[in-house]
Amino acid sequence: MSAARTMSRRERRRQFVRSRAWLVIRLVALALIAAVAILLAMLAFSDAHG
C-alpha cells in the first residue's frame, strides 16, 4: 500500500516537473520572438530615419 502511494507521488511530481519545463520553454520562446520583433522594428525604424 505505501509503495503504491509513493509511486503515485513520484508520478505526480514527474508530471509537475514536465508541465513546468513546458511553461519555461514557452516563456523562453515568447521572449526570443519578442526580442527578434523588437530588433526588426528598431532596424526598420533606423532605416526609415537613416
Side-chain angles (χ1 to χ4, degrees):
M1 194 71 181
S2 61
R5 191 177 296 159
T6 53
M7 279 289 291
S8 67
R9 191 180 295 158
R10 193 180 300 155
E11 283 290 323
R12 197 179 302 141
R13 179 163 184 184
R14 205 158 80 198
Q15 280 186 342
F16 175 74
V17 168
R18 193 183 303 149
S19 64
R20 197 164 179 190
W22 262 115
L23 191 96
V24 169
I25 288 169
R26 220 178 281 159
L27 281 174
V28 169
L30 281 172
L32 281 172
I33 290 168
V36 169
I38 288 169
L39 279 171
L40 285 174
M42 282 173 63
L43 281 172
F45 194 74
S46 65
D47 279 352
H49 282 261

